[in-house]
Amino acid sequence: MADVVSPIDARVLTRVAPAAPAEVDAAVRAARAAQPAWAARTGSDRGRILHAVADLIEARVEELAETETRNTGKILSDTRREVRRAAGSFRYYAGWAEQVRGETIPVGPEYHTYTVPEPHGVVAGVIPWNVPFFFAAKKIAPALAFGNACLLKPAEETPLTALRLGGLLAEAGVPEDLVRVLPGGRETGAALVSHPDVDLIVFTGHHDTGKAIARAAAAHLTPVALELGGKSPQVVFGDADLDRAVDAVVLGVFASCGQMCIAGSRLVLHESVYDEVLDRVAARVRALRVGDPFDQATDLGPQITAAQRDKTLAFIAESRTAGRLVAQSALPDDERLRDGFYVPPTVFDRLDDGARLLREEVFGPVLAVSSFRDDAEALRLADDTDFGLAAGVWTADIARAHRFAGQVRAGTVWINTYRVLSDLVPFGGVGLSGYGRENGTEAAHLYLRPKSVWTSLAGGTPQGYGLGGAGAAG
């Protein structure tokens, strides 16, 4: 049994038994047996059940949000929004379920040629600890909508709402064995992603874990989609709306305790507005309130794990010598929270070019600030990273904005906004941020594979296709 700890005060919430490799194997085999009957149902029938899941989630927003806050330490306004987004994902993919269709391809008068989209079979979804309920929905909903079975491994530290979702799926009428939540750590995850009967792996998490999953999947040539971390820049030009930009910068890196893959953790400012924007961001950071996430006055709760707290504090300590500490908020002085995993939101500038804070993902509320002189230097600094998940650009010059968006190396670019996401819009990264795309039409491409069917209308073999004939392929 593994302890599930609340980062708010380090108390043990409950204990959860990890799924052993034999249990993972049994779940894979059961899912493979259950999947064909699910795929044979009409899309409207699958969609009806997904809508029922959404109904159950929406009826339990407060319960699920409070559980999520207790397990993750995120403020209630964040977890409420994430629960509602999870319900929205089930509704979105419920609609998709009856929109799946192939195409007829006019290759010539001798053939009737068409494609049939088919589910992969058994999908393994592996999710991180920062947004556990929403990520569980984001993996399970499209897998089911497109006719797959889904086995979900939540992070060992935050399994509670994923397990609760498993119960809601059964209550809504999802067939037994089609979906299984498999809590556990590395042993559980390794057994799942290396299983020869898993047909697709969709992972969100750290790039080192993503590399390990890709290696394990390669043994069976299992297709993989990897949504990994980021070191995303927010670039602010001198003609930007600074009020909106400052708001977006603060929310873009300090919301959700800084534990976001899309965190705008590098602020790149034009030298003409450098001092003004830095002063305004610093003032906002000093005013941030860190504390009990159940208190409506709290802006940030704790880091989700003690290990993540220690990692973030190590980055802060190291950056004190690599750069200049510009601003830092206060830690909570509430005796009830003394054992919680809290860190102060912090801003640094004047960092050495090789400083780790400029190059590595912290996954905590720490911002690195640098300056640029012209468009070319802005792009160079934005791309000076091995990651490529997201970027933001702030400017009144629309030509410059779209030029930057077209050139920057990132999977998502926001112009004069930041951190806006939708199930309708493809999402993923490049470089160390991974490969493959989720959401929108890309979800259909990910969770389905096309089969091509050729029918001869003329009969026989076409001219030129005899032994040694020109035109034969394969």
Side-chain angles (χ1 to χ4, degrees):
M1 302 287 281
D3 290 344
V4 178
V5 175
S6 174
I8 300 170
D9 51 17
R11 294 183 182 179
V12 175
L13 297 172
T14 188
R15 306 192 77 203
V16 173
E23 187 177 354
V24 173
D25 178 65
V28 173
R29 295 178 185 279
R32 179 163 293 285
Q35 184 270 333
W38 176 252
R41 291 195 183 193
T42 63
S44 58
D45 191 30
R46 295 197 299 271
R48 176 185 56 78
I49 293 176
L50 295 187
H51 276 302
V53 176
D55 290 340
L56 292 172
I57 292 171
E58 289 172 345
R60 293 162 174 80
V61 169
E62 286 303 312
E63 168 203 332
L64 292 165
E66 288 178 10
T67 300
E68 193 85 317
T69 289
R70 215 169 292 283
N71 194 183
T72 66
K74 300 172 72 169
I75 60 176
L76 267 174
S77 59
D78 279 349
T79 55
R80 287 190 186 109
R81 183 180 64 255
E82 290 161 7
V83 170
R84 293 188 180 103
R85 283 187 67 200
S89 285
F90 276 98
R91 294 213 186 280
Y92 175 72
Y93 289 107
W96 249 111
E98 55 186 353
Q99 299 300 319
V100 175
R101 54 180 61 89
E103 60 180 342
T104 300
I105 304 172
V107 298
E110 294 181 314
Y111 296 98
H112 174 55
T113 307
Y114 60 93
T115 62
V116 180
E118 295 183 335
H120 287 269
V122 178
V123 175
V126 184
I127 61 173
W129 42 248
N130 61 324
V131 197
F133 189 72
F134 173 69
F135 277 132
K138 186 178 176 181
K139 299 294 186 281
I140 293 173
L144 294 184
F146 297 123
N148 298 281
C150 186
L151 302 175
L152 182 85
K153 199 208 84 68
E156 184 176 22
E157 300 86 352
T158 55
L160 299 186
T161 52
L163 289 166
R164 185 72 180 97
L165 179 58
L168 296 180
L169 291 164
E171 187 178 343
V174 174
E176 186 179 6
D177 296 331
L178 190 72
V179 177
R180 181 81 180 274
V181 177
L182 299 167
R186 288 187 178 182
E187 185 180 44
T188 303
L192 180 61
V193 300
S194 64
H195 199 289
D197 286 330
V198 166
D199 301 298
L200 172 68
I201 302 167
V202 186
F203 170 73
T204 300
H206 194 275
H207 60 273
D208 285 339
T209 306
K211 291 177 181 179
I213 288 174
R215 287 192 292 268
H220 305 293
L221 298 181
T222 307
V224 182
L226 302 173
E227 193 262 280
L228 309 179
K231 194 67 183 175
S232 302
Q234 286 221 58
V235 178
V236 181
F237 285 88
D239 61 351
D241 181 333
L242 298 186
D243 291 335
R244 293 179 60 196
V246 168
D247 284 344
V249 166
V250 173
L251 286 172
V253 68
F254 298 115
S256 198
C257 308
Q259 297 169 135
M260 303 173 286
C261 58
I262 56 171
S265 55
R266 291 186 296 138
L267 176 57
V268 186
L269 299 172
H270 188 266
E271 58 187 10
S272 66
V273 295
Y274 186 89
D275 290 337
E276 179 182 355
V277 173
L278 186 60
D279 288 347
R280 292 172 66 173
V281 169
R284 292 280 296 275
V285 169
R286 294 187 190 101
L288 289 174
R289 180 172 175 178
V290 181
D292 183 352
F294 286 99
D295 185 339
Q296 290 186 357
T298 295
D299 296 305
L300 288 85
Q303 301 280 269
I304 290 181
T305 67
Q308 183 59 37
R309 173 202 59 195
D310 295 344
K311 175 186 173 183
T312 303
L313 291 174
F315 266 99
I316 292 172
E318 180 181 318
S319 300
R320 287 177 179 271
T321 59
R324 178 183 69 155
L325 191 153
V326 175
Q328 192 170 64
S329 68
L331 288 174
D333 58 5
D334 189 331
E335 182 67 16
R336 297 175 301 116
L337 308 179
R338 69 181 186 279
D339 295 326
F341 308 145
Y342 298 90
V343 300
T346 307
V347 180
F348 288 96
D349 75 345
R350 301 180 186 175
L351 289 151
D352 300 335
D353 287 344
R356 287 204 308 140
L357 188 60
L358 287 172
R359 316 205 71 81
E360 297 183 21
E361 184 179 44
V362 180
F363 223 62
V366 187
L367 178 65
V369 187
S370 55
S371 68
F372 68 93
R373 293 182 298 275
D374 54 31
D375 292 33
E377 187 175 21
L379 181 64
R380 180 184 66 79
L381 291 173
D383 281 346
D384 190 19
T385 174
D386 293 327
F387 295 94
L389 190 60
V393 58
W394 294 84
T395 178
D397 185 336
I398 197 65
R400 167 192 280 155
H402 286 290
R403 186 167 58 246
F404 180 90
Q407 293 173 337
V408 71
R409 185 171 175 269
T412 294
V413 182
W414 287 285
I415 297 174
N416 294 330
T417 189
Y418 199 79
R419 197 173 163 243
V420 183
L421 298 169
S422 169
D423 286 315
L424 284 71
V425 182
F427 186 79
V430 298
L432 274 188
S433 294
Y435 53 81
R437 295 292 184 270
E438 296 180 76
N439 299 353
T441 57
E442 295 300 317
H445 298 156
L446 176 59
Y447 287 92
L448 293 164
R449 55 190 177 197
K451 174 182 286 182
S452 300
V453 180
W454 294 69
T455 302
S456 174
L457 302 179
T461 304
Q463 287 186 335
Y465 273 69
L467 291 174

